[in-house]
Amino acid sequence: LSYRISLSSTGTIYTGGFYVSRLYSVSPASTTNWDAILVSGSVKSPIPNFDSSGNIYVGTSGAFDSGAFNKVSATGTLLWYFAGASLGASSHPAVIDSNGRVYFGAKDKFVYALKPEDGSEIWKYELSGEPMGFAVGQGVVYVVSYDGKVYALK
């Protein structure tokens, strides 16, 4: 299992496979609810993020900076994934705005905005360093980067 772990509001524990592309859902009683097969490598997001329907958003990273960003249903079904040749999903959690849009950063130094319905790209913005933290408020996505800057993106 991964060293990354998250706890939902219902007490369900989520963790990923370190060397396998899986996300595990574990009940508070320590029984496995399900495990979902993800795309492209081991789980890298430290905190899988959840939308209002209980869907889970989690990044994976494989060899040579390959990676994907996955949306998994509350029941463990992979709903969609967004992948890129040099994506290598960042090790920082995604954020979701009030319209359901999903934002995440990748090792390619881009911040991506995705449609929640199908994972298609809305926009991307290149930073001068890898993204390392996010917040969303009043229609603005704030990103802290390894270049020491804070970006405000609309």
Side-chain angles (χ1 to χ4, degrees), residues 82 108 110-113 121-126:
F82 177 85
D108 63 2
F110 279 93
V111 173
Y112 293 86
E121 184 180 304
I122 300 169
W123 56 259
K124 68 180 181 178
Y125 183 84
E126 186 173 15

Side-chain angles (χ1 to χ4, degrees), residues 70-127:
N70 302 262
K71 179 179 181 180
V72 179
S73 74
T75 59
T77 301
L78 179 64
L79 299 173
W80 55 253
Y81 66 91
F82 177 85
S86 62
L87 191 64
S90 179
S91 60
H92 304 285
V95 293
I96 303 165
D97 71 12
S98 60
N99 295 315
R101 288 180 295 245
V102 180
Y103 304 93
F104 78 99
K107 291 184 179 186
D108 63 2
K109 299 182 183 176
F110 279 93
V111 173
Y112 293 86
L114 306 180
K115 292 181 182 177
E117 306 82 23
D118 60 9
S120 61
E121 184 180 304
I122 300 169
W123 56 259
K124 68 180 181 178
Y125 183 84
E126 186 173 15
L127 309 177

Side-chain angles (χ1 to χ4, degrees), residues 25-88:
S25 169
V26 181
S27 75
S30 297
T31 58
T32 301
N33 296 322
W34 50 258
D35 65 281
I37 297 173
L38 304 176
V39 175
S40 189
S42 59
V43 171
K44 292 296 180 185
S45 293
I47 304 170
N49 208 336
F50 307 91
D51 64 20
S52 59
S53 299
N55 296 310
I56 305 142
Y57 297 86
V58 63
T60 56
S61 187
F64 308 109
D65 285 334
S66 65
F69 190 75
N70 302 262
K71 179 179 181 180
V72 179
S73 74
T75 59
T77 301
L78 179 64
L79 299 173
W80 55 253
Y81 66 91
F82 177 85
S86 62
L87 191 64

